[in-house]
Amino acid sequence: MSSSLLLSGTTVTSPFIAPSKLSLVRNFNKSSLLPFRNAPRSFTSVKCTLDSSYGGNAPTFPRTRVWDPYKRLGISPYASEEEIWASRNFLLQQYAGHERSEESIEGAFEKLLMSSFIKRKKTKINLKTRLKKKVDESPPWLKALLDFVEMPPMDTIFRRLFLFAFMGGWSIMNSAEGGPAFQVAVSLAACIYFLNEKTKSLGRACLIGIGALAAGWFCGSLIIPMIPTLLLHPTWTLELLTSLVAYGFLFLSCTFLK
């Protein structure tokens, strides 16, 4: 209590303290507190970690304001699609945790990806236009021949190619036991079936199928004797090799002819 009274500057009287000592205490109280009363009041603001940029200690991508997407990703304008992907993944891993850096990298990557897609699309369109122009400039007989040809889906091509390749392998495996008559008959029936699905005419399908078999057998009988016997297996007969050529003709006719 006595200390609070001394600090407040009030007069203290006590029978236990001499008057001379009391005057010394009052003078010390006023002189010691004077500098603190006249001192200017100033406050120091503490900077909080929340005032720092987003991402804390994550590194910042230095090329966020670069307009060219190639320069922003640090690659050549002639870079392949694999190089673009590799640069994007590397930069995202290096600057992970900084939102603006990640957005800048992804933005440049999406621009390049869209540009690549547009170029491929234009190339396909130009290729189709060139092919159509070549067909229009071709002779009349070639145009009439191309009217009988169509391009089916790739899965259809592979399925039918597998079927006739299986027939060829089956004929080769049974070459020592007998001729490929059964395999040729099954292949002809499959060819007529596929043609009938497209033309919706059994008569035309049979005509095209039998014609393809005859043409393949005729071409095979002319081509096979020209092949040196050293290149052929000893058990492969002329009939077997001719049937292999016929399988090729049946495949082409039932797949690409209208």
Side-chain angles (χ1 to χ4, degrees), residues 164-242:
F164 288 99
F166 174 77
M167 290 297 174
W170 188 10
S171 301
I172 293 173
M173 292 175 62
N174 295 337
S175 60
E177 300 178 1
F182 178 73
Q183 290 84 356
V184 171
V186 173
S187 300
L188 177 60
C191 178
I192 293 174
Y193 172 77
F194 293 140
L195 287 169
N196 185 41
E197 278 190 338
K198 292 193 295 184
T199 61
K200 306 300 180 182
S201 174
L202 183 60
R204 183 175 179 178
C206 292
L207 182 63
I208 295 175
I210 295 173
L213 177 62
W217 204 272
F218 176 75
C219 293
S221 62
L222 294 178
I223 296 172
I224 298 303
M226 300 179 183
I227 302 176
T229 55
L230 297 175
L231 302 177
L232 302 176
H233 197 273
T235 60
W236 292 0
T237 61
L238 177 62
E239 183 183 9
L240 172 63
L241 297 174
T242 305

Side-chain angles (χ1 to χ4, degrees), residues 24-42:
L24 291 174
V25 169
R26 284 196 297 270
N27 294 334
F28 171 78
N29 183 16
K30 294 179 181 180
S31 61
S32 60
L33 293 179
L34 185 60
F36 295 98
R37 291 178 181 177
N38 299 330
R41 298 181 181 181
S42 61

